[in-house]
Amino acid sequence: MRLIHTSDWHLGQHFYGKSRANEHQQFLNWLLTQVTTHNVDAIIVAGDIFDTTTPPSYAREMYFDFIAKLHQQACSLIILAGNHDSVAMLTESKQVLAHLSTQVIAQAGMDEKEQLVTLRDPQGEVQALICAIPFIRPRDVLTSQAGQSASQKQGDLQQAISDYYQKNVAFAQKQREALQANIPIIATGHLTTVGVTCSESVRDIYIGSLAAFPANAFPQVDYIALGHIHRGQKVAKNNHIRYSGSPIALSFDEANQEKQVLMVDFAQGKLKDISPLVVPCFQPLAMLKTNLTDLVADIKVLMSKFSTQLTNKQGKIWLDIEINHSDYLADLQQRIESLVDDLPVEVLRVRREKSPQQLATVIAENTTLNELSEIEVFEQRLTLETWPAEEDEQRKQRLQQLYKQLVNEVKTEPKV
Protein backbone atom coordinates (compact mmCIF):
# COMPACT_ATOMS: atom_id res chain seq x y z
CA MET A 1 0.00 0.00 0.00
CA ARG A 2 1.15 3.52 -0.76
CA LEU A 3 -0.13 6.74 0.75
CA ILE A 4 0.76 10.43 0.71
CA HIS A 5 1.03 12.30 3.99
CA THR A 6 0.47 16.05 3.83
CA SER A 7 -0.82 18.76 6.15
CA ASP A 8 -1.25 22.47 6.83
CA TRP A 9 -2.66 23.54 3.50
CA HIS A 10 -4.21 26.70 5.00
CA LEU A 11 -6.54 27.21 2.05
CA GLY A 12 -7.84 30.77 1.99
CA GLN A 13 -4.78 32.32 3.62
CA HIS A 14 -4.19 36.02 3.03
CA PHE A 15 -0.54 36.96 3.23
CA TYR A 16 0.07 40.65 3.94
CA GLY A 17 -3.05 41.37 1.88
CA LYS A 18 -2.15 38.95 -0.94
CA SER A 19 -4.29 35.94 -1.83
CA ARG A 20 -2.64 32.51 -2.01
CA ALA A 21 -5.40 31.09 -4.22
CA ASN A 22 -3.19 30.66 -7.30
CA GLU A 23 -0.45 28.84 -5.34
CA HIS A 24 -2.94 26.57 -3.61
CA GLN A 25 -4.67 25.68 -6.87
CA GLN A 26 -1.34 24.85 -8.50
CA PHE A 27 -0.38 22.71 -5.51
CA LEU A 28 -3.65 20.76 -5.61
CA ASN A 29 -3.25 20.17 -9.36
CA TRP A 30 0.33 18.99 -8.75
CA LEU A 31 -0.86 16.66 -5.96
CA LEU A 32 -3.45 15.06 -8.24
CA THR A 33 -0.68 14.43 -10.77
CA GLN A 34 1.45 12.71 -8.09
CA VAL A 35 -1.44 10.39 -7.25
CA THR A 36 -1.58 9.23 -10.87
CA THR A 37 2.19 9.12 -11.41
CA HIS A 38 2.94 7.12 -8.26
CA ASN A 39 -0.24 4.98 -8.06
CA VAL A 40 -1.18 6.31 -4.63
CA ASP A 41 -3.90 4.49 -2.68
CA ALA A 42 -4.74 7.18 -0.12
CA ILE A 43 -3.92 10.69 1.04
CA ILE A 44 -3.85 11.77 4.70
CA VAL A 45 -4.22 15.50 5.39
CA ALA A 46 -3.15 15.94 9.01
CA GLY A 47 -5.01 19.13 9.87
CA ASP A 48 -5.31 22.83 9.02
CA ILE A 49 -6.98 22.32 5.68
CA PHE A 50 -8.21 25.91 5.95
CA ASP A 51 -6.50 28.99 7.36
CA THR A 52 -9.49 30.21 9.37
CA THR A 53 -12.70 28.81 10.80
CA THR A 54 -14.61 30.91 8.22
CA PRO A 55 -12.71 30.35 4.96
CA PRO A 56 -13.65 32.35 1.85
CA SER A 57 -15.97 30.69 -0.66
CA TYR A 58 -13.20 30.15 -3.22
CA ALA A 59 -11.23 28.11 -0.67
CA ARG A 60 -14.23 25.86 -0.04
CA GLU A 61 -14.75 25.44 -3.79
CA MET A 62 -11.09 24.43 -4.13
CA TYR A 63 -11.52 21.87 -1.34
CA PHE A 64 -14.63 20.25 -2.83
CA ASP A 65 -13.27 20.33 -6.37
CA PHE A 66 -10.10 18.52 -5.24
CA ILE A 67 -12.15 15.85 -3.46
CA ALA A 68 -14.30 15.22 -6.55
CA LYS A 69 -11.26 14.90 -8.83
CA LEU A 70 -9.42 12.64 -6.39
CA HIS A 71 -12.46 10.36 -6.16
CA GLN A 72 -12.33 9.91 -9.95
CA GLN A 73 -8.79 8.58 -9.50
CA ALA A 74 -9.97 5.87 -7.06
CA CYS A 75 -7.82 7.31 -4.28
CA SER A 76 -9.09 7.52 -0.69
CA LEU A 77 -8.81 10.75 1.29
CA ILE A 78 -8.64 11.13 5.07
CA ILE A 79 -9.20 14.69 6.32
CA LEU A 80 -8.26 15.58 9.92
CA ALA A 81 -9.22 18.89 11.51
CA GLY A 82 -6.48 21.17 12.82
CA ASN A 83 -6.57 24.04 15.27
CA HIS A 84 -7.34 26.50 12.43
CA ASP A 85 -10.31 24.45 11.15
CA SER A 86 -13.97 24.76 12.11
CA VAL A 87 -15.40 21.53 13.54
CA ALA A 88 -18.90 22.54 12.44
CA MET A 89 -17.88 23.48 8.90
CA LEU A 90 -15.97 20.25 8.28
CA THR A 91 -18.73 18.16 9.85
CA GLU A 92 -21.57 19.62 7.79
CA SER A 93 -20.34 17.96 4.57
CA LYS A 94 -18.96 14.79 6.20
CA GLN A 95 -21.87 12.50 5.22
CA VAL A 96 -21.87 13.60 1.58
CA LEU A 97 -18.09 13.33 1.22
CA ALA A 98 -18.18 9.76 2.53
CA HIS A 99 -19.72 8.87 -0.85
CA LEU A 100 -16.67 10.40 -2.55
CA SER A 101 -14.05 8.16 -0.91
CA THR A 102 -13.40 10.82 1.76
CA GLN A 103 -13.45 10.33 5.52
CA VAL A 104 -13.59 13.54 7.58
CA ILE A 105 -12.63 13.43 11.26
CA ALA A 106 -13.37 16.88 12.65
CA GLN A 107 -13.33 16.32 16.40
CA ALA A 108 -11.60 14.21 19.03
CA GLY A 109 -13.31 12.74 22.07
CA MET A 110 -15.65 10.50 20.07
CA ASP A 111 -16.08 6.75 20.36
CA GLU A 112 -13.07 4.77 19.12
CA LYS A 113 -15.19 3.26 16.34
CA GLU A 114 -15.76 6.71 14.85
CA GLN A 115 -12.04 7.53 15.00
CA LEU A 116 -10.99 4.33 13.21
CA VAL A 117 -10.75 4.51 9.41
CA THR A 118 -10.45 1.26 7.48
CA LEU A 119 -8.60 1.60 4.17
CA ARG A 120 -9.61 -0.90 1.51
CA ASP A 121 -8.34 -1.66 -1.98
CA PRO A 122 -10.66 -1.68 -5.05
CA GLN A 123 -11.42 -5.34 -4.38
CA GLY A 124 -12.60 -4.56 -0.84
CA GLU A 125 -9.59 -6.06 0.94
CA VAL A 126 -8.46 -4.20 4.05
CA GLN A 127 -5.10 -2.46 3.47
CA ALA A 128 -4.60 -0.54 6.72
CA LEU A 129 -6.27 0.72 9.88
CA ILE A 130 -5.95 4.42 10.68
CA CYS A 131 -6.43 5.86 14.15
CA ALA A 132 -7.64 9.16 12.69
CA ILE A 133 -6.99 11.61 15.51
CA PRO A 134 -7.41 15.32 14.71
CA PHE A 135 -6.39 18.35 16.80
CA ILE A 136 -7.22 17.51 20.41
CA ARG A 137 -8.73 20.34 22.42
CA PRO A 138 -8.22 19.99 26.19
CA ARG A 139 -11.99 19.85 26.73
CA ASP A 140 -12.19 16.80 24.42
CA VAL A 141 -10.16 14.64 26.78
CA LEU A 142 -9.95 16.40 30.14
CA THR A 143 -12.13 17.99 32.82
CA SER A 144 -10.39 20.95 34.41
CA GLN A 145 -9.85 20.94 38.16
CA ALA A 146 -9.94 24.07 40.30
CA GLY A 147 -6.81 25.04 42.20
CA GLN A 148 -4.32 23.16 40.01
CA SER A 149 -0.87 24.60 39.42
CA ALA A 150 0.44 25.13 35.87
CA SER A 151 2.68 22.05 36.16
CA GLN A 152 -0.25 19.90 37.33
CA LYS A 153 -2.38 21.07 34.40
CA GLN A 154 0.45 20.31 32.00
CA GLY A 155 0.96 16.84 33.44
CA ASP A 156 -2.77 16.04 33.39
CA LEU A 157 -3.20 17.19 29.77
CA GLN A 158 -0.15 15.26 28.59
CA GLN A 159 -1.43 12.12 30.32
CA ALA A 160 -4.95 12.59 28.95
CA ILE A 161 -3.65 12.94 25.36
CA SER A 162 -1.39 9.90 25.83
CA ASP A 163 -4.29 7.84 27.24
CA TYR A 164 -6.47 8.91 24.33
CA TYR A 165 -3.90 7.67 21.82
CA GLN A 166 -3.40 4.43 23.75
CA LYS A 167 -7.15 3.77 23.85
CA ASN A 168 -7.59 4.32 20.11
CA VAL A 169 -4.56 2.22 19.15
CA ALA A 170 -5.66 -0.60 21.46
CA PHE A 171 -9.03 -0.64 19.71
CA ALA A 172 -7.32 -0.76 16.30
CA GLN A 173 -5.14 -3.67 17.45
CA LYS A 174 -8.25 -5.62 18.51
CA GLN A 175 -9.81 -4.96 15.11
CA ARG A 176 -6.65 -6.19 13.37
CA GLU A 177 -6.70 -9.37 15.46
CA ALA A 178 -10.37 -9.94 14.58
CA LEU A 179 -9.57 -9.51 10.89
CA GLN A 180 -6.59 -11.88 11.21
CA ALA A 181 -4.85 -9.66 8.70
CA ASN A 182 -1.22 -8.64 8.36
CA ILE A 183 -1.90 -4.92 7.93
CA PRO A 184 -0.28 -1.74 9.29
CA ILE A 185 -1.77 0.52 11.95
CA ILE A 186 -1.30 4.22 11.27
CA ALA A 187 -2.00 7.07 13.69
CA THR A 188 -2.41 10.77 13.01
CA GLY A 189 -2.18 13.95 15.07
CA HIS A 190 -2.16 17.71 14.95
CA LEU A 191 0.03 19.01 17.75
CA THR A 192 3.51 20.18 18.72
CA THR A 193 5.98 17.53 19.85
CA VAL A 194 9.11 18.01 21.92
CA GLY A 195 12.19 19.23 20.05
CA VAL A 196 10.63 20.20 16.71
CA THR A 197 11.59 23.32 14.75
CA CYS A 198 8.73 25.81 14.32
CA SER A 199 8.22 28.93 12.20
CA GLU A 200 6.57 32.25 12.98
CA SER A 201 3.27 31.25 11.31
CA VAL A 202 2.75 28.31 13.72
CA ARG A 203 0.46 29.24 16.59
CA ASP A 204 0.87 27.92 20.12
CA ILE A 205 -2.10 25.65 20.82
CA TYR A 206 -1.72 24.61 24.46
CA ILE A 207 -0.55 27.90 25.95
CA GLY A 208 -0.20 27.77 29.71
CA SER A 209 -0.76 24.02 29.92
CA LEU A 210 1.22 21.91 27.47
CA ALA A 211 3.96 23.37 25.30
CA ALA A 212 4.88 20.12 23.51
CA PHE A 213 3.98 16.43 23.57
CA PRO A 214 6.86 13.96 24.10
CA ALA A 215 7.45 11.44 21.33
CA ASN A 216 7.78 8.55 23.78
CA ALA A 217 4.17 9.13 24.90
CA PHE A 218 2.86 7.98 21.52
CA PRO A 219 1.84 4.28 21.39
CA GLN A 220 3.73 1.89 19.15
CA VAL A 221 2.28 1.90 15.63
CA ASP A 222 3.73 1.51 12.14
CA TYR A 223 3.53 5.19 11.17
CA ILE A 224 2.39 8.48 12.75
CA ALA A 225 1.34 11.23 10.33
CA LEU A 226 1.52 14.60 12.08
CA GLY A 227 0.50 18.14 11.23
CA HIS A 228 0.76 21.64 12.76
CA ILE A 229 4.50 22.19 12.28
CA HIS A 230 5.23 23.73 8.88
CA ARG A 231 8.78 22.40 8.49
CA GLY A 232 8.94 18.76 7.37
CA GLN A 233 10.92 16.70 9.89
CA LYS A 234 11.32 13.51 11.89
CA VAL A 235 10.30 13.57 15.56
CA ALA A 236 13.02 12.72 18.11
CA LYS A 237 14.96 10.83 15.38
CA ASN A 238 12.07 8.37 14.96
CA ASN A 239 11.80 7.50 11.29
CA HIS A 240 8.14 6.49 11.61
CA ILE A 241 6.96 9.71 13.35
CA ARG A 242 6.89 12.53 10.82
CA TYR A 243 5.70 16.03 10.12
CA SER A 244 5.15 16.49 6.39
CA GLY A 245 5.23 20.27 6.73
CA SER A 246 3.12 22.74 4.78
CA PRO A 247 3.13 22.55 0.95
CA ILE A 248 3.74 26.29 0.51
CA ALA A 249 5.67 28.82 2.60
CA LEU A 250 3.17 30.39 5.00
CA SER A 251 5.51 33.01 6.46
CA PHE A 252 8.66 34.73 5.25
CA ASP A 253 10.86 32.71 7.61
CA GLU A 254 9.76 29.59 5.70
CA ALA A 255 10.93 31.06 2.39
CA ASN A 256 14.14 29.01 2.26
CA GLN A 257 12.51 25.73 3.23
CA GLU A 258 12.12 23.04 0.60
CA LYS A 259 8.44 22.12 0.79
CA GLN A 260 7.31 18.53 0.44
CA VAL A 261 4.69 15.84 0.86
CA LEU A 262 5.71 12.40 2.08
CA MET A 263 5.08 9.23 0.08
CA VAL A 264 4.86 6.35 2.53
CA ASP A 265 5.07 2.69 1.43
CA PHE A 266 4.02 -0.37 3.41
CA ALA A 267 4.69 -4.03 2.66
CA GLN A 268 3.66 -7.15 4.56
CA GLY A 269 1.98 -5.07 7.24
CA LYS A 270 5.05 -2.95 8.03
CA LEU A 271 6.54 0.40 7.08
CA LYS A 272 8.81 -0.11 4.09
CA ASP A 273 9.95 3.30 2.86
CA ILE A 274 9.34 7.06 3.17
CA SER A 275 10.14 9.26 0.18
CA PRO A 276 9.75 13.05 0.16
CA LEU A 277 8.15 14.47 -2.99
CA VAL A 278 9.38 18.05 -3.35
CA VAL A 279 6.61 20.56 -4.05
CA PRO A 280 7.56 23.12 -6.71
CA CYS A 281 7.75 26.77 -5.66
CA PHE A 282 4.68 28.44 -7.16
CA GLN A 283 5.30 31.91 -5.71
CA PRO A 284 8.82 33.17 -4.99
CA LEU A 285 9.21 35.01 -1.71
CA ALA A 286 12.24 36.04 0.31
CA MET A 287 13.52 37.89 3.34
CA LEU A 288 16.19 40.45 2.56
CA LYS A 289 18.47 42.11 5.12
CA THR A 290 20.20 45.00 3.43
CA ASN A 291 20.65 48.77 3.33
CA LEU A 292 19.40 51.39 0.90
CA THR A 293 22.75 51.53 -0.90
CA ASP A 294 22.89 47.77 -1.62
CA LEU A 295 19.15 47.13 -2.01
CA VAL A 296 18.99 47.01 -5.82
CA ALA A 297 22.13 44.85 -6.12
CA ASP A 298 20.80 42.39 -3.52
CA ILE A 299 17.45 42.16 -5.31
CA LYS A 300 19.24 41.34 -8.57
CA VAL A 301 20.93 38.42 -6.78
CA LEU A 302 17.47 37.19 -5.78
CA MET A 303 16.29 37.59 -9.37
CA SER A 304 19.06 35.22 -10.44
CA LYS A 305 18.02 32.72 -7.76
CA PHE A 306 14.38 32.79 -8.90
CA SER A 307 15.13 33.05 -12.61
CA THR A 308 13.09 29.92 -13.45
CA GLN A 309 9.97 31.22 -11.72
CA LEU A 310 10.36 34.66 -13.26
CA THR A 311 10.89 33.17 -16.72
CA ASN A 312 7.75 31.06 -16.28
CA LYS A 313 5.85 34.21 -15.28
CA GLN A 314 4.92 32.90 -11.83
CA GLY A 315 4.53 36.43 -10.51
CA LYS A 316 6.84 38.93 -8.89
CA ILE A 317 9.08 38.06 -5.95
CA TRP A 318 7.33 38.92 -2.68
CA LEU A 319 9.78 40.62 -0.31
CA ASP A 320 10.16 41.18 3.42
CA ILE A 321 12.89 43.83 3.63
CA GLU A 322 14.78 44.59 6.82
CA ILE A 323 16.80 47.79 6.43
CA ASN A 324 20.04 48.24 8.29
CA HIS A 325 19.90 51.99 8.85
CA SER A 326 20.56 53.82 12.09
CA ASP A 327 18.67 56.95 11.17
CA TYR A 328 14.91 57.27 11.32
CA LEU A 329 13.53 57.82 7.83
CA ALA A 330 9.92 58.90 7.72
CA ASP A 331 9.77 58.15 3.98
CA LEU A 332 11.53 54.77 4.11
CA GLN A 333 8.68 52.89 2.38
CA GLN A 334 8.50 55.47 -0.39
CA ARG A 335 12.29 55.41 -0.93
CA ILE A 336 12.28 51.64 -1.27
CA GLU A 337 9.31 51.64 -3.66
CA SER A 338 11.04 54.16 -5.91
CA LEU A 339 14.24 52.05 -5.96
CA VAL A 340 12.44 48.83 -6.94
CA ASP A 341 9.82 50.35 -9.22
CA ASP A 342 11.24 48.74 -12.39
CA LEU A 343 12.18 45.40 -10.80
CA PRO A 344 10.06 42.21 -10.77
CA VAL A 345 9.44 42.41 -7.02
CA GLU A 346 6.60 43.38 -4.74
CA VAL A 347 7.52 44.67 -1.28
CA LEU A 348 5.01 43.35 1.24
CA ARG A 349 6.82 44.29 4.42
CA VAL A 350 9.48 46.85 5.40
CA ARG A 351 11.22 46.86 8.78
CA ARG A 352 14.19 48.55 10.35
CA GLU A 353 16.74 46.29 11.96
CA LYS A 354 16.31 46.09 15.74
CA SER A 355 19.12 45.16 18.10
CA PRO A 356 18.44 42.98 21.17
CA GLN A 357 18.86 46.09 23.29
CA GLN A 358 16.20 47.90 21.31
CA LEU A 359 13.77 45.01 21.67
CA ALA A 360 14.19 45.09 25.43
CA THR A 361 13.43 48.80 25.83
CA VAL A 362 10.27 50.83 25.76
CA ILE A 363 8.90 51.57 22.28
CA ALA A 364 11.15 54.22 20.84
CA GLU A 365 9.63 57.43 19.63
CA ASN A 366 10.69 56.60 16.08
CA THR A 367 9.35 53.02 15.99
CA THR A 368 6.14 52.54 14.04
CA LEU A 369 3.50 50.11 15.26
CA ASN A 370 3.61 47.90 12.16
CA GLU A 371 7.26 47.07 12.95
CA LEU A 372 6.17 45.26 16.14
CA SER A 373 4.16 42.15 16.83
CA GLU A 374 1.31 42.28 19.34
CA ILE A 375 3.48 40.31 21.79
CA GLU A 376 6.32 42.84 21.48
CA VAL A 377 3.91 45.72 22.10
CA PHE A 378 2.60 44.06 25.26
CA GLU A 379 6.06 43.17 26.57
CA GLN A 380 7.24 46.72 26.09
CA ARG A 381 4.11 47.99 27.85
CA LEU A 382 5.04 45.79 30.83
CA THR A 383 8.34 47.62 31.19
CA LEU A 384 6.36 50.69 32.32
CA GLU A 385 4.98 48.84 35.35
CA THR A 386 6.64 48.89 38.76
CA TRP A 387 5.99 46.14 41.26
CA PRO A 388 7.82 45.01 44.41
CA ALA A 389 11.10 43.39 43.37
CA GLU A 390 10.15 40.01 44.81
CA GLU A 391 6.93 39.94 42.72
CA ASP A 392 8.18 41.56 39.53
CA GLU A 393 9.32 38.52 37.51
CA GLN A 394 6.46 36.29 38.64
CA ARG A 395 3.82 38.88 37.73
CA LYS A 396 5.39 39.55 34.33
CA GLN A 397 5.50 35.84 33.46
CA ARG A 398 1.87 35.38 34.51
CA LEU A 399 0.67 38.40 32.53
CA GLN A 400 2.67 37.35 29.46
CA GLN A 401 1.14 33.87 29.64
CA LEU A 402 -2.40 35.25 29.97
CA TYR A 403 -1.87 37.73 27.13
CA LYS A 404 -0.52 35.04 24.77
CA GLN A 405 -3.54 32.87 25.61
CA LEU A 406 -5.88 35.80 24.88
CA VAL A 407 -4.19 36.53 21.53
CA ASN A 408 -4.43 32.87 20.56
CA GLU A 409 -8.15 32.74 21.45
CA VAL A 410 -8.86 35.88 19.44
CA LYS A 411 -7.03 34.47 16.39
CA THR A 412 -8.86 31.13 16.53
CA GLU A 413 -12.31 32.44 17.52
CA PRO A 414 -14.87 31.96 14.72
CA LYS A 415 -15.85 35.26 13.08
CA VAL A 416 -19.50 36.24 13.42
Side-chain angles (χ1 to χ4, degrees):
M1 184 194 71
R2 171 173 286 173
L3 62 83
I4 282 179
H5 164 203
T6 178
S7 73
D8 297 275
W9 292 358
H10 290 266
L11 300 178
Q13 190 206 37
H14 270 73
F15 188 71
Y16 296 95
K18 307 295 289 186
S19 171
R20 315 302 296 275
N22 179 55
E23 295 165 82
H24 277 129
Q25 189 58 68
Q26 289 190 72
F27 162 67
L28 294 176
N29 293 342
W30 174 87
L31 187 56
L32 289 168
T33 300
Q34 305 313 301
V35 169
T36 302
T37 302
H38 299 286
N39 296 316
V40 175
D41 299 297
I43 294 176
I44 294 175
V45 187
D48 283 354
I49 294 87
F50 296 102
D51 190 57
T52 71
T53 54
T54 54
S57 58
Y58 76 81
R60 298 188 192 200
E61 290 175 13
M62 234 179 250
Y63 170 68
F64 291 122
D65 181 64
F66 174 79
I67 289 171
K69 289 177 178 176
L70 188 66
H71 173 66
Q72 293 172 357
Q73 295 183 209
C75 180
S76 299
L77 178 64
I78 299 91
I79 295 283
L80 291 309
N83 59 300
H84 283 248
D85 297 311
S86 163
V87 172
M89 200 214 78
L90 288 180
T91 301
E92 68 187 10
S93 58
K94 176 178 178 177
Q95 303 269 345
V96 173
L97 297 183
H99 297 285
L100 295 174
S101 311
T102 299
Q103 300 297 317
V104 178
I105 309 297
Q107 188 172 15
M110 300 185 296
D111 184 271
E112 303 94 277
K113 292 180 182 178
E114 295 186 56
Q115 304 269 199
L116 187 69
V117 172
T118 303
L119 279 183
R120 300 178 183 273
D121 64 19
Q123 290 72 44
E125 294 294 320
V126 178
Q127 292 182 297
L129 296 174
I130 301 178
C131 297
I133 299 175
F135 168 55
I136 300 174
R137 292 169 173 81
R139 65 175 179 267
D140 295 332
V141 294
L142 188 65
T143 302
S144 61
Q145 303 293 326
Q148 286 186 311
S149 67
S151 61
Q152 287 173 323
K153 289 181 180 179
Q154 177 176 332
D156 285 356
L157 182 55
Q158 178 180 310
Q159 188 60 53
I161 294 174
S162 178
D163 290 346
Y164 188 72
Y165 270 95
Q166 297 287 349
K167 180 179 72 170
N168 279 273
V169 169
F171 180 75
Q173 290 170 338
K174 287 182 180 179
Q175 293 299 108
R176 181 168 63 180
E177 290 171 7
L179 290 168
Q180 296 182 333
N182 186 21
I183 54 176
I185 293 177
I186 301 163
T188 68
H190 190 88
L191 73 176
T192 305
T193 54
V194 173
V196 296
T197 303
C198 302
S199 60
E200 66 180 20
S201 60
V202 175
R203 294 178 188 163
D204 293 331
I205 50 181
Y206 296 126
I207 293 171
S209 50
L210 180 62
F213 188 71
N216 60 10
F218 285 115
Q220 184 58 47
V221 293
D222 296 290
Y223 184 73
I224 302 178
L226 297 177
H228 183 60
I229 303 301
H230 297 169
R231 182 191 292 271
Q233 57 198 289
K234 297 178 185 178
V235 175
K237 299 182 181 179
N238 290 289
N239 189 52
H240 73 293
I241 309 177
R242 297 278 191 127
Y243 286 99
S244 64
S246 60
I248 67 172
L250 296 166
S251 60
F252 276 112
D253 68 335
E254 297 178 27
N256 291 326
Q257 295 177 18
E258 189 173 67
K259 294 301 183 177
Q260 62 178 23
V261 301
L262 296 174
M263 188 166 67
V264 188
D265 288 306
F266 299 87
Q268 298 180 339
K270 299 295 179 183
L271 177 64
K272 179 184 178 183
D273 189 37
I274 302 172
S275 306
L277 302 178
V278 177
V279 180
C281 173
F282 302 114
Q283 169 61 58
L285 65 157
M287 296 177 74
L288 190 59
K289 292 187 178 183
T290 185
N291 55 57
L292 291 176
T293 304
D294 298 331
L295 177 61
V296 172
D298 289 342
I299 288 177
K300 288 182 177 179
V301 172
L302 283 176
M303 289 168 57
S304 176
K305 175 183 176 182
F306 292 114
S307 59
T308 301
Q309 288 89 341
L310 294 174
T311 302
N312 294 336
K313 298 182 179 179
Q314 291 183 352
K316 296 182 177 181
I317 305 169
W318 290 350
L319 290 181
D320 173 353
I321 299 177
E322 184 174 298
I323 293 294
N324 175 10
H325 200 292
S326 58
D327 296 329
Y328 175 66
L329 301 173
D331 61 344
L332 179 60
Q333 183 85 33
Q334 290 81 359
R335 289 194 188 196
I336 290 174
E337 287 177 358
S338 65
L339 287 170
V340 304
D341 188 47
D342 296 326
L343 299 174
V345 300
E346 193 164 355
V347 180
L348 303 190
R349 188 184 188 194
V350 175
R351 297 170 293 133
R352 281 177 296 140
E353 184 179 39
K354 296 193 290 285
S355 69
Q357 290 78 14
Q358 288 174 310
L359 290 173
T361 59
V362 182
I363 299 175
E365 182 181 350
N366 292 336
T367 303
T368 59
L369 193 59
N370 63 5
E371 293 182 70
L372 300 168
S373 70
E374 61 268 27
I375 303 298
E376 288 173 338
V377 172
F378 185 72
E379 288 178 349
Q380 295 195 29
R381 173 63 181 83
L382 286 180
T383 63
L384 300 176
E385 297 295 330
T386 54
W387 295 298
E390 65 274 10
E391 299 178 16
D392 186 68
E393 191 59 33
Q394 185 177 2
R395 283 198 185 189
K396 283 184 179 179
Q397 288 180 358
R398 178 61 177 156
L399 286 169
Q400 286 169 340
Q401 182 185 83
L402 289 171
Y403 185 73
K404 287 179 181 178
Q405 187 169 354
L406 177 62
V407 169
N408 186 67
E409 288 175 357
V410 169
K411 287 182 175 179
T412 57
E413 186 72 23
K415 297 178 182 177
V416 179

